[in-house]
Amino acid sequence: MGAYIVRRLLLMIPTLFAIMVINFIIIQVAPGGPVEQIIADLTGTGADITGRVTRTDVGETLQSAAADADATGGYRGAQGLDPEFIRELEQRFGFDKPLHIRFFEMMGNYLRFDFGDSFFRDRSVVDLVLDKMPVSISLGVWTTLLVYLISIPLGIAKAMRDGSRFDLWSSVVVVISSAIPSFLFAVFLLVIFAGGSYLDWFPLRGLVSDNWAELSWPDRIRDYLWHITLPVIAMTIGGFATLTMLTKNSFMEQIGQQYVLTARAKGLSERRVMYGHVFRNAMLIVVAGFPSAFVGMLFTGSVLIEIIFSLDGLGLLGFEAAFNRDYPVIFGTLFFFSILGLVMTLVGDLMYTIIDPRIDFEARGQ
């Protein structure tokens, strides 16, 4: 097993490199980089992004004489700006260097755990991620916990009562929940329970109240749970359907195996057969996928939920970074999350061997 782990860790290096190269090229060649964003702000042709430039900057850089496109680096909308100012912008963002030089410098900094500073927020990428992490961790942990607590018992019950009315009606609920996007259900919860048109039981925004620091610890816990209830419910509704059907199908596959028929022939009770023999084998794929499921809940699918409930987390940070072409934030978070995803994939594989020691990846030459 040790040799297998070493091979997997070594394989992460080219995998991570390929992920960074592909995303770096795609993002760099996409139109509307940070230089274009500032030019759009100066010329009034783009959306306003707070904190980028001041009125003094505009007054100092706008020139009465128009410059041609070559003098301004060919940037769209740059006519009328001082070419020297354009060159200063390129140096500020590192665009005065060739593409491959910028990439290898970035990767060298990342190997030293230097993720740089945000272009437009005047804060380091690490500080931004640490500041937004509690919101995403809260959503990810609680959602993953509820999804597993609901899906596994429900999937087992559906497998044991396959074809019954319970299985039919629960399947209808599962299909409906999978068909409704989480953000639509979030809007529904706000309208019904957060002072929309009916009840005013839960807050509209934030992870905690404004006076949270002044509360006692029991009140802080209640306030936190009060705020997190609706977002977690919205994400859980959209996430438990797949795991429920996976659990049911896994149990159904095991129930038809020969060892189950043998156990029943020996006179064992159905409960003993199900939980003494079937459970361990059927739960292998479900439990082993927990690390990947947690990463998925933590870093994906929560952007719209964070926007709807005004939760300032990693999803919203990534969305704003992509929209504003904040390259240090984009690539820094991509590097960190890619490593985390690769490690969690390895952890998921190792959990197979913990749950079922008969599985030996090393013997299979994996």
Side-chain angles (χ1 to χ4, degrees):
M1 181 57 66
Y4 170 76
I5 295 175
V6 171
R7 288 199 302 270
R8 287 291 300 271
L9 291 175
L10 293 177
L11 184 62
M12 290 181 187
I13 298 176
T15 303
L16 178 63
F17 184 81
I19 291 174
M20 297 302 297
V21 168
I22 294 173
N23 284 275
F24 185 85
I25 293 175
I26 292 175
I27 294 177
Q28 292 289 336
V29 300
V35 175
E36 289 90 341
Q37 294 276 6
I38 289 185
I39 290 174
D41 289 340
L42 292 173
T43 58
T45 60
D48 176 51
I49 300 177
T50 305
R52 290 184 179 176
V53 292
T54 63
R55 294 183 181 273
T56 304
D57 294 329
V58 177
E60 292 175 350
T61 56
L62 286 174
Q63 303 296 314
S64 58
D68 59 17
D70 292 335
T72 56
Y75 292 107
R76 181 180 179 181
Q79 289 78 10
L81 296 179
D82 188 351
E84 183 62 28
F85 175 69
I86 301 297
R87 286 190 289 270
E88 290 178 0
L89 285 179
E90 291 179 333
Q91 292 176 359
R92 171 186 172 187
F93 297 118
F95 292 161
D96 57 328
K97 301 175 182 178
L99 191 67
H100 66 283
I101 297 297
R102 299 205 307 269
F103 175 77
F104 285 108
E105 286 183 352
M106 180 187 72
M107 293 301 296
N109 292 332
Y110 287 177
L111 293 177
R112 299 193 301 270
F113 299 99
D114 179 10
F115 296 97
D117 299 326
S118 168
F119 282 162
F120 306 122
R121 291 176 179 259
D122 295 326
R123 296 183 63 187
S124 69
V125 174
V126 174
D127 289 341
L128 284 173
V129 171
L130 293 178
D131 185 44
K132 313 298 182 183
M133 188 73 77
V135 173
S136 295
I137 289 179
S138 295
L139 291 175
V141 169
W142 288 112
T143 301
T144 305
L145 180 62
L146 283 180
V147 165
Y148 270 77
L149 288 177
I150 295 173
S151 299
I152 293 177
L154 181 58
I156 295 174
K158 286 174 64 62
M160 295 180 65
R161 305 177 188 178
D162 182 48
S164 65
R165 296 185 63 180
F166 171 79
D167 181 41
L168 175 62
W169 287 109
S170 60
S171 295
V172 172
V173 174
V174 169
V175 170
I176 293 175
S177 67
S178 63
I180 300 177
S182 297
F183 70 91
L184 287 182
F185 195 76
V187 174
F188 170 78
L189 292 176
L190 283 178
V191 173
I192 299 298
F193 299 107
S197 302
Y198 299 94
L199 305 174
D200 190 10
W201 289 355
F202 295 95
L204 282 171
R205 60 181 302 276
L207 189 63
V208 293
S209 299
D210 294 335
N211 63 337
W212 187 81
E214 303 172 2
L215 301 176
S216 62
W217 276 109
D219 290 336
R220 289 183 182 184
I221 295 174
R222 284 192 293 267
D223 182 77
Y224 165 75
L225 295 176
W226 183 47
H227 280 77
I228 205 69
T229 297
L230 293 186
V232 169
I233 291 176
M235 293 185 64
T236 301
I237 290 297
F240 85 97
T242 301
L243 185 59
T244 297
M245 298 309 299
L246 177 64
T247 303
K248 178 190 174 180
N249 293 335
S250 181
F251 269 79
M252 291 295 296
E253 180 181 0
Q254 293 299 320
I255 289 175
Q257 297 294 323
Q258 183 62 44
Y259 74 90
V260 176
L261 300 178
T262 302
R264 286 172 174 169
K266 290 180 178 180
L268 296 179
S269 65
E270 190 66 21
R271 186 178 183 86
R272 179 70 180 276
V273 171
M274 183 63 65
Y275 293 100
H277 294 77
V278 175
F279 185 82
R280 180 176 181 178
N281 295 325
M283 289 301 296
L284 177 63
I285 189 173
V286 176
V287 176
F290 179 82
S292 298
F294 175 71
V295 173
M297 291 292 183
L298 188 59
F299 301 119
T300 63
S302 63
V303 176
L304 292 176
I305 298 296
E306 291 181 7
I307 294 175
I308 291 172
F309 290 98
S310 299
L311 299 173
D312 194 8
L314 291 173
L316 187 59
L317 174 66
F319 172 79
E320 291 179 346
F323 182 81
N324 297 334
R325 302 299 194 272
D326 197 343
Y327 291 164
V329 176
I330 294 175
F331 294 122
T333 53
L334 174 66
F335 182 82
F336 173 74
F337 296 152
S338 296
I339 292 178
L340 183 61
L342 293 172
V343 171
M344 287 296 102
T345 301
L346 175 59
V347 172
D349 290 345
L350 296 179
M351 288 188 69
Y352 280 105
T353 63
I354 295 175
I355 299 172
D356 190 349
R358 295 173 298 176
I359 297 177
D360 189 352
F361 291 111
E362 196 165 343
R364 298 184 181 187
Q366 299 292 327

